[in-house]
Amino acid sequence: MHFQHITVAGSGVLGSQIAFQTAFKGFKVSVYDINDEAIGKAKGRFRELMKRYQEDLGASEEEVRAAYERISFYTDLAEAVREADLVIEAVPEVREIKTEFYKKLGQYAPKKTVFATNTSTMLPSQFAEATGRPEKFLALHFANEIWLHNMAEVMKHSGTDEKVFEAVIDFARAIGMVPLPLHKEQPGYILNSLLVPFLDAAQSLYIRGIADPEIIDKTWMIATGSPKGPFAIMDVVGINTVYNIVSAKAKAGDEEARKLAEKLKKEFIDRGKLGVATGEGFYCYPHPKYEQPDFLKG
Ligand code: NAD
């Protein structure tokens, strides 16, 4: 099983990155989205990505232009998948939207076509039946800014064919990702299975007044040699995202989460301190304290 024609469905933040990275590595890519307006936005995203690949990776103007020329655009799903060996789905993280999408895709795509979902918070088994081809379906999960954070979690559900799993692992490698195979379904994959409890523990130390964020980060950095502690990581993730997760826990009745959500709203969000993206969060950017040589000395 070898993939040549790739279709990316949904051309938002992640879909546009997946499509561009795939084209940059020499594949022909069909991009599908729901209407001309969405495709127009995607074209704007590709223009931005062409700049970032030059700035961040030192790619030449010709290389990024050639990548862009390998991409074609569709608002008709049947046409978008006519030749597809692999469809990578990056449509909104809404269960009903994904289910409807897979039902249609299952009808229009050729029998040979493999489907991969980029879902962050759901499991492939939730959509396996809707695809009509559970054995040719699995998750292929990328990280935001995939040209820099070049990893891809490849996760089977219990009905995924082993050959499909291996072919998608090979494909991930072919587009410059480090493939990270997960042999069983796991909510949050590997990364978030580690990261979420880690950040939770740091937040709990903070909200219970045990230690300040800088001290918590210092502890982690000195002890493990890691370049960032949990609060520096929250600044990268974005305080809004952290707030949304904490608020959901607060709504479910978690008292510590309620206190933390209140604090994040008052002291960070209402003051525009959303993390690296706005230049301030737990630290000030572009030269955060934890990057300064004396941070770990005193
Ligand atoms: P987004 O909102 O930026 O993009 C979604 C795109 O899907 C839009 O272009 C929208 O027009 C299109 N769309 C809407 N309905 C559609 C339909 N029925 N068929 C086809 N396209 C449709 O979302 P995103 O952040 O790119 O997330 C997409 C997927 O990627 C989600 O499953 C998300 O969990 C996952 N993901 C996101 C990130 C991230 O950092 N944003 C990281 C990893 C994985």
Side-chain angles (χ1 to χ4, degrees):
M1 199 177 295
H2 181 66
F3 304 134
Q4 276 179 308
H5 290 95
I6 314 300
T7 299
V8 177
S11 56
V13 175
L14 254 284
S16 58
Q17 294 181 16
I18 298 164
F20 195 76
Q21 177 70 23
T22 304
F24 187 69
K25 289 292 175 179
F27 290 83
K28 284 209 165 144
V29 180
S30 301
V31 166
Y32 165 74
D33 212 306
I34 42 174
N35 54 35
D36 290 338
E37 196 193 334
I39 293 290
K41 280 192 195 157
K43 288 181 177 167
R45 288 199 171 93
F46 287 124
R47 278 192 292 276
E48 282 305 309
L49 288 171
M50 287 164 77
K51 278 191 223 149
R52 293 291 304 271
Y53 274 61
Q54 291 178 74
E55 285 164 18
D56 297 346
L57 303 180
S60 68
E61 172 100 34
E62 294 71 47
E63 282 171 322
V64 293
R65 192 163 303 152
Y68 185 74
E69 279 164 12
R70 282 191 280 273
I71 301 174
S72 37
F73 297 91
Y74 300 87
T75 52
D76 179 323
L77 182 57
E79 271 182 43
V81 300
R82 199 190 306 282
E83 288 187 285
D85 299 308
L86 172 67
V87 175
I88 303 172
E89 171 268 307
V91 313
E93 192 74 345
V94 176
R95 185 165 181 168
E96 297 72 36
I97 295 181
K98 287 198 194 288
T99 304
E100 279 313 302
F101 172 78
Y102 280 116
K103 280 187 187 157
K104 273 198 231 150
L105 181 65
Q107 287 166 21
Y108 295 141
K111 283 217 160 50
K112 63 169 184 181
T113 313
V114 167
F115 305 161
T117 178
N118 182 44
T119 182
S120 294
T121 62
M122 299 179 208
L123 293 169
S125 57
Q126 292 176 261
F127 309 106
E129 198 187 315
T131 65
R133 58 186 81 185
E135 71 292 347
K136 291 200 182 74
F137 179 54
L138 77 180
L140 174 61
H141 183 238
F142 298 90
N144 195 14
E145 304 204 326
I146 75 173
W147 64 99
L148 297 176
H149 307 295
N150 62 322
M151 50 168 256
E153 293 174 296
V154 187
M155 185 169 79
K156 285 199 274 194
H157 68 90
S158 62
T160 309
D161 186 325
E162 188 62 33
K163 285 203 180 70
V164 168
F165 186 51
E166 281 160 19
V168 173
I169 290 171
D170 288 346
F171 168 75
R173 201 174 281 120
I175 62 165
M177 299 293 115
V178 175
L180 306 165
L182 280 83
H183 303 284
K184 290 181 184 172
E185 280 198 328
Q186 165 65 31
Y189 301 86
I190 298 170
L191 179 59
N192 282 336
S193 297
L194 295 168
L195 188 59
V196 172
F198 174 63
L199 299 185
D200 272 358
Q203 289 162 0
S204 174
L205 291 170
Y206 170 51
I207 201 66
R208 289 187 294 131
I210 309 281
D212 296 335
E214 273 186 24
I215 297 295
I216 298 170
D217 278 7
K218 258 185 216 182
T219 310
W220 185 255
M221 290 167 74
I222 297 172
T224 65
S226 175
K228 283 189 182 71
F231 290 92
I233 294 175
M234 285 181 231
D235 276 352
V236 174
V237 170
I239 304 299
N240 257 332
T241 302
V242 174
Y243 174 74
N244 290 339
I245 297 167
V246 173
S247 296
K249 274 168 63 186
K251 277 199 192 109
D254 183 323
E255 181 55 17
E256 223 171 274
R258 191 193 57 75
K259 278 195 205 151
L260 180 61
E262 217 173 272
K263 196 172 174 68
L264 290 175
K265 174 94 172 61
K266 220 159 85 198
E267 294 177 22
F268 291 84
I269 293 174
D270 290 350
R271 296 183 189 170
K273 291 163 68 172
L274 303 183
V276 179
T278 59
E280 192 174 356
F282 287 98
Y283 297 92
C284 293
Y285 299 87
H287 302 295
K289 228 170 157 182
Y290 62 81
E291 279 180 1
Q292 287 160 23
D294 57 354
F295 185 72
L296 299 181
K297 295 207 178 112

